[in-house]
Amino acid sequence: MLYGIDSQSPFIDVIDPFTGSIESSFLLLLNEDQFGSTVDFGSGLAVNPVTNEMYAAVLINLGAEPGTGNATVIGTLTQAIAAMTFTDNGVLYGVSGERSDTPETLFRIDTDDASLSFVRTLGNGTDGESIAFNPDDGFMYHMS
């Protein structure tokens, strides 16, 4: 199953990988002891292939359980992350968007506290950033 985060609303979409159609959606909720409110919208989403935990970049970074919508805040991102992906061994990466202090830059994201470590500047584009890891060839791909 594929998941997508809606950039216009607080929903995570469950997407059929064969047709691209949205099969269902669920509201992304922060735990009541952490702000007690819903998310306005998101920009990046990735599922850890080792733990099956879902991570999303919203106004703050959070980890969510696929299918439930229940989320736990792990930290605040210091850059505007536009897209995220996990490698097959559970390392999370994010690419910053145009509104970031350092746009079009690849960062490693710590899944314990959302701290960012600079990896490299990517460049080569204008609006819109995306990254994806291909476990078949071990490469990470960037589109801008």
Side-chain angles (χ1 to χ4, degrees):
M1 201 52 58
L2 295 175
Y3 297 96
I5 193 161
D6 194 322
S7 65
Q8 304 295 314
S9 71
F11 287 92
I12 292 179
D13 298 323
V14 180
I15 303 166
D16 183 312
F18 299 105
T19 66
S21 63
I22 297 174
E23 292 190 352
S24 63
S25 297
F26 53 91
L27 182 64
L28 186 55
L29 302 170
L30 296 178
N31 286 335
E32 287 186 28
D33 62 337
Q34 296 181 311
F35 307 103
S37 62
T38 60
V39 174
D40 289 334
F41 61 90
S43 60
L45 180 74
V47 177
N48 186 329
V50 177
T51 65
N52 202 34
E53 293 174 310
M54 186 178 293
Y55 290 77
V58 293
L59 295 177
I60 52 179
N61 187 275
L62 49 94
E65 299 173 40
T68 68
N70 297 323
T72 302
V73 175
I74 63 167
T76 300
L77 293 168
T78 57
Q79 300 287 328
I81 299 298
M84 301 188 309
T85 192
F86 275 97
T87 58
D88 54 0
N89 62 350
V91 177
L92 180 60
Y93 289 89
V95 62
S96 57
E98 295 300 317
R99 295 183 182 143
S100 182
D101 293 336
T102 54
E104 299 178 353
T105 302
L106 184 66
F107 294 94
R108 184 175 173 168
I109 303 172
D110 188 307
T111 57
D112 291 326
D113 63 10
S115 61
L116 301 177
S117 301
F118 172 84
V119 176
R120 66 173 297 155
T121 301
L122 299 173
N124 298 325
T126 56
D127 291 340
E129 300 295 322
S130 186
I131 55 173
F133 178 78
N134 182 349
D136 293 334
D137 63 14
F139 287 107
M140 187 178 305
Y141 293 87
H142 170 241
M143 182 175 67
S144 179

